[in-house]
Amino acid sequence: SICGCSAKKMVIDHAVPKTFRGVLCQQCNVRLGWYEKNRKIIETYCAVPISPEFEQYSVKRKAGRGR
């Protein structure tokens, strides 16, 4: 699973019929499906640099606490 959990309800993930990618919890499966449907919009949005007037609002992670 993407999140690392082993939920009660696990689902088989596939890219196209008969192409097995792995096993996901239901929540990761739904989120991955949403991301795949909206990938272009998300990647385009994330490629835009943060405007200087909004940098003051960006979250700063403490050292050693990131993923």
Side-chain angles (χ1 to χ4, degrees):
S1 183
I2 293 172
C3 65
C5 79
S6 61
K8 288 181 182 177
K9 185 173 183 181
M10 301 295 284
V11 296
I12 296 173
D13 180 40
H14 55 273
V16 293
K18 299 183 182 180
T19 304
F20 175 73
R21 287 197 293 198
V23 178
L24 301 172
C25 69
Q26 179 68 25
Q27 192 172 27
C28 285
N29 188 48
V30 170
R31 290 177 177 173
L32 180 61
W34 181 87
Y35 172 78
E36 288 176 337
K37 290 176 185 168
N38 297 285
R39 179 183 313 213
K40 239 181 188 170
I41 295 167
I42 295 166
E43 290 175 353
T44 300
Y45 178 81
C46 290
V48 176
I50 297 173
S51 298
E53 65 264 21
F54 293 111
E55 280 187 9
Q56 64 183 341
Y57 302 109
S58 63
V59 177
K60 306 286 187 216
R61 292 184 183 250
K62 293 182 181 178
R65 298 197 65 194
R67 286 186 174 200

